Amino acid sequence: MRIAVFCSSSPTIDSKFIDLAFELGSGIARSGAELVSGGGHISAMGAISRGARSVGGRTIGIIPQKLVDIEFADHESDELIVVDSMRTRKAKIEDLSDAFITLPGGLGTLEELFEIWVGRYLKFHDKPVIILDPYGIYQPLHALVEHLENENFVKPGMRDLLHWATSVEEAVAVAHGK
């Protein structure tokens, strides 16, 4: 079982989000799953991998060469797959992973979430898609999606394909299909 995590690489976010990422990484590893990440070593992205490795978990990082060149790569990953582009990175993450958890993040994180969620809706995969949001960062997004559904821009049932979790334990359990 491999669980991908989409999260922030911003060095300016509050430390509570770094701590959450570390906790999620260790929770994924303790569940027996491998972690698949964007392969960076800073911010939440680095913390998630450090968390997994802190309890003996295996980490797989997937990163474009351009980010390796600017010293962004997590060279401590058990497996670091270097690809040519962000599009290739996302495709490889999707192929390798059995579930997807999204942590609070910015535009890149949202873009990854939306792509994997729409892919599930269109039946390109049937893997769990989870948002772990104990701090309510995504509450405006939750309300927006509901509003878009009410206005018939989001089809009925699409919202139900996304699980909103508030604890690491809940997110990991849903990822495992529990």
Side-chain angles (χ1 to χ4, degrees), residues 15-156:
S15 64
K16 69 184 177 188
F17 300 112
I18 307 297
D19 295 342
L20 176 63
F22 188 93
E23 182 185 347
L24 178 58
S26 62
I28 288 169
R30 280 195 303 274
S31 78
E34 295 179 345
L35 170 69
V36 178
S37 78
H41 71 87
I42 63 170
S43 191
M45 195 180 296
I48 190 124
S49 295
R50 287 190 302 277
R53 289 190 296 264
S54 75
V55 293
R58 185 168 190 278
T59 60
I60 302 167
I62 303 164
I63 188 167
Q65 182 65 53
K66 186 172 185 174
L67 296 180
V68 173
D69 293 345
I70 60 171
E71 299 180 5
F72 185 76
D74 178 10
H75 293 289
E76 294 181 27
S77 290
D78 294 292
E79 185 176 353
L80 187 64
I81 300 169
V82 179
V83 296
D84 64 345
S85 69
M86 293 295 278
R87 287 187 175 140
T88 304
R89 173 203 231 178
K90 291 185 301 180
K92 189 73 170 169
I93 288 171
E94 181 178 348
D95 289 345
L96 288 178
S97 302
D98 301 300
F100 307 91
I101 299 175
T102 301
L103 289 173
L107 295 178
T109 303
L110 288 171
E111 188 259 345
E112 291 167 325
L113 165 65
F114 285 131
E115 184 170 332
I116 209 71
W117 183 17
V118 169
R120 171 123 193 233
Y121 178 73
L122 295 175
K123 298 187 182 352
F124 284 100
H125 70 86
D126 64 353
K127 303 168 185 179
V129 180
I130 304 130
I131 290 180
L132 174 55
D133 186 21
Y135 301 108
I137 292 296
Y138 288 132
Q139 284 308 310
L141 173 62
H142 193 268
L144 174 61
V145 171
E146 187 173 302
H147 173 69
L148 291 171
E149 184 179 80
N150 291 337
E151 293 294 328
N152 298 314
F153 287 104
V154 171
K155 304 239 183 316

